[in-house]
Amino acid sequence: MKLAANIGFLYAEVPLMDRIDCAARDGLDGIECPFPYDLPPSVLAQRLRAAGLPLVLINTPQGPGGEPGFAAVNGQQEYFRAGIEQALEMAHYTACARVHVMAGRPWTEGRCEQSVLATLQENLGWAEWQARRAGVVLLLEPLNRLDMPGYAYHRPAQVIQVLEHLNLPNLRLQFDTFHAARENLDVLESLLACAAWIAHVQIAEAPHRTAPDLSRPETVQTLRALSTLPCGGWLGLEFGSPASASSGIECLQDLRSLLLPQAMGTVA
């Protein structure tokens, strides 16, 4: 797998555009930029080309009040569709092939399950058709209930139920080891169970979203498993910065070694 720097978290002490250069300097293969919407798409695309790095993942925009999306929130279809169109425009300019569709927090508003699922399915059906025409894969990511209470889905199994029901080719699962761990799931077991649906993976150590702890056998086993699974080819590094932008990411070399197919074996 290739390694992508999530510049929403990494190198946070420097301006957003400069984080692209930090990632290039550290030898990363690509960029995740969760919310690039304050940047002109053409300017971002030019900066990525200059650094020689592809943009591999963006999120749909947050709502006007900072809401984490609207895909599952009834009555907000106008905001939802506008966000999809904005994300696909950004993806077009930057050649980004994956968009994480943020679903929102319907459960904090007391909505019934039937209404939430109906809204989610209708919105995703429309969005997937737009994305398919644009050559973009839409991703659904479960966000744990400790950090995102009331979100539409918290565990991969909940997302897979939606994916199985809709059965759309450009709608897939985004698996994040941090959120799985915060839900007290066995991360490796969960990863293996839903591997067929995964089109993108992100990693961070729970509970503080730090760099992967390669002294933990569970983390090493998960990384070794990723080297054998068809999970989209990218591993997003979605954790906090090193001490300074100039110090680099200490675990990169070890991460690459563990992601090589020949690294499979028994953890000491």
Side-chain angles (χ1 to χ4, degrees):
M1 300 184 80
K2 295 181 179 180
L3 299 178
N6 187 303
I7 60 172
F9 287 86
L10 284 166
Y11 316 114
E13 65 280 6
V14 300
L16 187 63
M17 293 282 267
D18 292 342
R19 300 175 201 178
I20 297 171
D21 298 327
C22 293
R25 178 212 62 206
D26 283 348
L28 276 300
D29 305 304
I31 296 292
E32 296 179 350
C33 187
F35 301 109
Y37 301 104
D38 289 336
L39 305 172
S42 59
V43 174
L44 176 58
Q46 183 179 12
R47 191 66 171 263
L48 290 162
R49 285 194 298 270
L53 295 178
L55 183 62
V56 301
L57 179 71
I58 60 174
N59 293 350
T60 51
Q62 294 176 309
E67 299 92 339
F70 296 106
V73 183
N74 191 28
Q76 300 294 339
Q77 282 86 347
E78 182 177 350
Y79 277 126
F80 172 75
R81 292 194 174 198
I84 289 291
E85 290 169 354
Q86 188 177 7
L88 291 179
E89 179 184 20
M90 179 65 72
H92 170 73
Y93 274 97
T94 59
C96 181
R98 297 170 185 81
V99 172
H100 166 215
V101 179
M102 302 199 72
R105 286 172 142 162
W107 307 123
T108 61
E109 302 174 19
R111 300 177 188 272
C112 70
E113 183 175 1
Q114 185 177 1
S115 170
V116 169
L117 290 176
T119 299
L120 181 62
Q121 291 166 7
E122 179 182 353
N123 281 335
L124 291 177
W126 176 86
E128 192 272 348
W129 172 240
Q130 310 306 314
R132 198 187 320 174
R133 293 193 301 168
V136 170
V137 174
L138 300 182
L139 303 173
L140 307 183
E141 180 186 21
L143 305 182
N144 77 82
R145 72 196 77 193
L146 296 175
D147 297 304
M148 189 64 73
Y151 198 72
Y153 30 73
H154 301 291
R155 294 185 168 208
Q158 295 172 289
V159 170
I160 289 175
Q161 287 181 338
V162 175
L163 297 177
E164 288 179 337
H165 177 81
L166 292 172
N167 194 28
L168 297 171
N170 283 41
L171 191 62
R172 310 293 287 178
L173 172 66
Q174 181 172 317
F175 186 93
D176 190 318
T177 67
F178 171 81
H179 289 295
R182 290 284 275 167
E183 280 288 310
N184 290 319
L185 298 175
D186 182 308
V187 175
L188 177 57
E189 182 179 295
S190 183
L191 173 71
L192 295 174
C194 56
W197 290 100
I198 297 173
H200 193 80
V201 180
Q202 293 174 321
I203 192 168
E205 205 70 55
H208 301 301
R209 200 180 277 282
T210 48
D213 182 355
L214 302 184
S215 69
R216 294 183 69 248
E218 296 87 349
T219 300
V220 172
Q221 288 170 340
T222 298
L223 286 162
R224 287 179 170 171
L226 280 171
S227 73
T228 70
L229 298 174
C231 290
W234 286 97
L235 179 62
L237 308 184
E238 194 181 25
F239 47 79
S241 292
S244 68
S246 62
S247 64
I249 304 171
E250 293 181 357
C251 65
L252 276 183
Q253 184 174 349
D254 290 336
L255 276 174
R256 290 193 186 280
S257 297
L258 288 166
L259 290 167
L260 293 173
Q262 59 265 34
M264 289 296 291
T266 303
V267 176

